[in-house]
Amino acid sequence: MIEGHIDLTKFEPFHKNIEYEHMKWKDKQQGFNFAVPDLEAAYNIDSLQVGVSRNVPDDYLELFKSIFNISSFSYAVQKMFPGNILPYHSDKYGFFLSQHPGLKIENIIRYIVFLEDWQPGHISEIDGDSHTKWKRGDWISWRGATPHLAANLGFEDRYALQITGIIK
Protein backbone atom coordinates (compact mmCIF):
# COMPACT_ATOMS: atom_id res chain seq x y z
CA MET A 1 0.00 0.00 0.00
CA ILE A 2 1.23 3.47 -0.90
CA GLU A 3 -0.25 6.34 1.11
CA GLY A 4 -0.01 10.07 1.68
CA HIS A 5 -1.94 13.24 2.42
CA ILE A 6 -3.18 16.19 0.36
CA ASP A 7 -4.12 19.39 2.19
CA LEU A 8 -7.74 20.03 1.21
CA THR A 9 -8.42 22.77 3.78
CA LYS A 10 -8.51 25.45 1.05
CA PHE A 11 -11.07 23.50 -0.96
CA GLU A 12 -14.80 23.52 -0.34
CA PRO A 13 -16.27 20.05 0.21
CA PHE A 14 -18.38 19.30 -2.85
CA HIS A 15 -19.27 15.64 -2.51
CA LYS A 16 -22.54 16.02 -0.57
CA ASN A 17 -24.04 18.48 -3.07
CA ILE A 18 -23.74 16.47 -6.27
CA GLU A 19 -25.97 13.88 -7.90
CA TYR A 20 -24.95 10.23 -7.81
CA GLU A 21 -25.91 7.33 -10.04
CA HIS A 22 -26.38 3.88 -8.55
CA MET A 23 -23.40 1.74 -9.57
CA LYS A 24 -24.13 -1.59 -11.23
CA TRP A 25 -21.60 -4.34 -11.88
CA LYS A 26 -23.47 -6.14 -14.65
CA ASP A 27 -20.56 -5.87 -17.12
CA LYS A 28 -18.06 -8.55 -16.12
CA GLN A 29 -15.44 -7.08 -18.49
CA GLN A 30 -15.38 -3.74 -16.68
CA GLY A 31 -15.93 -5.04 -13.17
CA PHE A 32 -13.52 -7.02 -11.07
CA ASN A 33 -12.27 -10.49 -10.22
CA PHE A 34 -12.97 -11.89 -6.77
CA ALA A 35 -9.72 -12.56 -4.93
CA VAL A 36 -11.23 -15.91 -3.87
CA PRO A 37 -13.30 -16.98 -6.92
CA ASP A 38 -15.03 -19.83 -5.06
CA LEU A 39 -16.70 -17.24 -2.79
CA GLU A 40 -18.25 -15.21 -5.62
CA ALA A 41 -21.64 -16.88 -5.13
CA ALA A 42 -21.67 -15.81 -1.48
CA TYR A 43 -21.93 -12.11 -2.40
CA ASN A 44 -24.86 -10.42 -4.10
CA ILE A 45 -22.96 -7.64 -5.88
CA ASP A 46 -26.19 -6.42 -7.52
CA SER A 47 -27.43 -5.37 -4.08
CA LEU A 48 -24.33 -3.28 -3.31
CA GLN A 49 -25.38 0.29 -2.57
CA VAL A 50 -22.77 2.64 -4.02
CA GLY A 51 -23.40 5.96 -5.74
CA VAL A 52 -20.94 7.22 -8.36
CA SER A 53 -20.49 10.71 -9.78
CA ARG A 54 -18.01 12.31 -12.17
CA ASN A 55 -18.91 15.84 -11.00
CA VAL A 56 -15.54 16.85 -9.57
CA PRO A 57 -14.62 20.56 -9.48
CA ASP A 58 -11.78 21.64 -11.77
CA ASP A 59 -9.71 22.99 -8.86
CA TYR A 60 -9.64 19.50 -7.30
CA LEU A 61 -8.60 17.93 -10.60
CA GLU A 62 -5.81 20.46 -11.12
CA LEU A 63 -4.53 19.77 -7.60
CA PHE A 64 -4.41 16.01 -8.21
CA LYS A 65 -2.70 16.45 -11.59
CA SER A 66 0.03 18.44 -9.86
CA ILE A 67 0.54 15.91 -7.03
CA PHE A 68 0.16 12.47 -8.56
CA ASN A 69 2.78 11.49 -11.13
CA ILE A 70 0.37 9.96 -13.63
CA SER A 71 -0.77 10.59 -17.16
CA SER A 72 -4.18 10.25 -18.79
CA PHE A 73 -6.28 9.74 -15.69
CA SER A 74 -9.97 9.15 -15.03
CA TYR A 75 -11.86 9.82 -11.82
CA ALA A 76 -15.12 9.22 -9.98
CA VAL A 77 -16.54 10.08 -6.57
CA GLN A 78 -17.90 7.09 -4.70
CA LYS A 79 -20.57 7.31 -2.03
CA MET A 80 -20.77 4.00 -0.16
CA PHE A 81 -23.89 3.67 1.93
CA PRO A 82 -23.89 2.09 5.42
CA GLY A 83 -24.06 -1.69 5.54
CA ASN A 84 -22.25 -2.31 2.26
CA ILE A 85 -19.18 -4.40 1.48
CA LEU A 86 -17.16 -4.53 -1.72
CA PRO A 87 -15.47 -7.89 -1.12
CA TYR A 88 -11.79 -8.66 -1.58
CA HIS A 89 -11.20 -8.34 -5.34
CA SER A 90 -8.85 -7.19 -8.10
CA ASP A 91 -9.94 -4.55 -10.59
CA LYS A 92 -10.10 -5.30 -14.32
CA TYR A 93 -9.99 -1.59 -15.35
CA GLY A 94 -12.10 -2.54 -18.38
CA PHE A 95 -13.22 0.97 -19.32
CA PHE A 96 -9.78 2.50 -18.72
CA LEU A 97 -8.05 -0.21 -20.76
CA SER A 98 -10.59 0.25 -23.58
CA GLN A 99 -9.50 3.90 -23.73
CA HIS A 100 -5.81 2.92 -23.83
CA PRO A 101 -5.32 0.00 -26.25
CA GLY A 102 -2.15 -1.96 -25.58
CA LEU A 103 -1.77 -0.70 -22.01
CA LYS A 104 -0.77 -3.44 -19.59
CA ILE A 105 -2.66 -3.65 -16.29
CA GLU A 106 0.61 -3.49 -14.31
CA ASN A 107 1.12 0.05 -15.65
CA ILE A 108 -2.11 1.29 -14.07
CA ILE A 109 -2.24 2.95 -10.67
CA ARG A 110 -5.33 3.64 -8.60
CA TYR A 111 -5.60 6.31 -5.90
CA ILE A 112 -8.37 6.59 -3.33
CA VAL A 113 -8.59 10.08 -1.77
CA PHE A 114 -10.79 10.24 1.31
CA LEU A 115 -13.11 13.26 1.16
CA GLU A 116 -14.11 13.15 4.83
CA ASP A 117 -12.55 12.07 8.09
CA TRP A 118 -12.87 8.38 8.94
CA GLN A 119 -16.00 7.24 10.76
CA PRO A 120 -16.30 4.04 12.83
CA GLY A 121 -17.05 1.09 10.55
CA HIS A 122 -15.35 2.54 7.45
CA ILE A 123 -12.65 0.16 6.20
CA SER A 124 -10.23 -0.08 3.30
CA GLU A 125 -7.81 -2.93 2.83
CA ILE A 126 -5.09 -3.34 0.24
CA ASP A 127 -3.22 -6.61 -0.20
CA GLY A 128 -3.98 -7.63 3.38
CA ASP A 129 -3.12 -4.26 5.00
CA SER A 130 -6.11 -2.59 6.67
CA HIS A 131 -6.50 1.16 6.60
CA THR A 132 -8.75 3.09 9.00
CA LYS A 133 -8.77 6.35 10.98
CA TRP A 134 -7.96 8.47 7.92
CA LYS A 135 -8.35 12.24 7.77
CA ARG A 136 -9.90 14.27 4.95
CA GLY A 137 -7.26 14.43 2.21
CA ASP A 138 -5.47 11.19 3.12
CA TRP A 139 -4.99 8.86 0.19
CA ILE A 140 -4.05 5.25 -0.43
CA SER A 141 -2.93 3.65 -3.66
CA TRP A 142 -2.11 0.39 -5.39
CA ARG A 143 -0.86 -0.76 -8.77
CA GLY A 144 -2.38 -3.12 -11.28
CA ALA A 145 -4.30 -6.15 -10.05
CA THR A 146 -3.48 -5.75 -6.34
CA PRO A 147 -6.34 -7.26 -4.31
CA HIS A 148 -8.30 -4.86 -2.09
CA LEU A 149 -11.68 -4.28 -0.44
CA ALA A 150 -13.87 -1.48 0.86
CA ALA A 151 -16.61 -1.61 3.47
CA ASN A 152 -19.00 0.67 5.22
CA LEU A 153 -20.09 -1.12 8.36
CA GLY A 154 -20.85 2.16 10.11
CA PHE A 155 -23.75 4.59 10.22
CA GLU A 156 -22.49 7.42 7.97
CA ASP A 157 -21.97 7.48 4.20
CA ARG A 158 -18.34 6.88 3.14
CA TYR A 159 -17.06 9.30 0.46
CA ALA A 160 -13.93 8.74 -1.58
CA LEU A 161 -12.53 10.06 -4.85
CA GLN A 162 -11.14 7.31 -7.07
CA ILE A 163 -8.42 8.30 -9.54
CA THR A 164 -7.08 5.86 -12.12
CA GLY A 165 -4.02 6.70 -14.18
CA ILE A 166 -1.02 5.46 -16.11
CA ILE A 167 2.25 5.26 -14.19
CA LYS A 168 4.84 7.58 -15.73
Side-chain angles (χ1 to χ4, degrees), residues 143-158:
R143 294 176 180 210
T146 303
H148 57 281
L149 65 79
N152 184 349
L153 305 175
F155 299 103
E156 304 292 330
D157 294 335
R158 176 188 181 270

Side-chain angles (χ1 to χ4, degrees), residues 24-37:
K24 297 194 183 299
W25 278 275
K26 296 283 188 198
D27 186 346
K28 294 278 188 185
Q29 290 294 82
Q30 293 189 19
F32 53 82
N33 293 315
F34 279 83
V36 182

Side-chain angles (χ1 to χ4, degrees), residues 36-107:
V36 182
D38 294 343
L39 296 180
E40 183 171 353
Y43 293 97
N44 181 3
I45 295 303
D46 292 335
S47 69
L48 181 65
Q49 296 294 310
V50 176
V52 175
S53 177
R54 300 208 187 276
N55 297 320
V56 178
D58 289 339
D59 55 348
Y60 273 81
L61 296 177
E62 290 303 317
L63 175 66
F64 300 135
K65 282 183 197 176
S66 70
I67 291 175
F68 298 135
N69 190 25
I70 55 177
S71 62
S72 188
F73 70 92
S74 66
Y75 54 87
V77 180
Q78 294 180 340
K79 176 182 182 180
M80 182 178 264
F81 300 99
N84 284 270
I85 300 170
L86 185 52
Y88 210 47
H89 67 281
S90 296
D91 296 326
K92 291 183 180 180
Y93 305 102
F95 177 76
F96 195 77
L97 288 170
S98 74
Q99 302 300 306
H100 304 280
L103 180 63
K104 292 183 173 26
I105 200 166
E106 57 267 17
N107 294 324

Side-chain angles (χ1 to χ4, degrees), residues 115-154:
L115 298 174
E116 292 187 342
D117 291 350
W118 174 85
Q119 296 289 320
H122 293 186
I123 301 166
S124 288
E125 186 174 302
I126 301 172
D127 205 17
D129 291 327
S130 296
H131 187 73
T132 59
K133 299 187 179 170
W134 55 77
K135 296 289 183 194
R136 179 176 182 245
D138 284 354
W139 58 265
I140 55 176
S141 178
W142 62 88
R143 294 176 180 210
T146 303
H148 57 281
L149 65 79
N152 184 349
L153 305 175

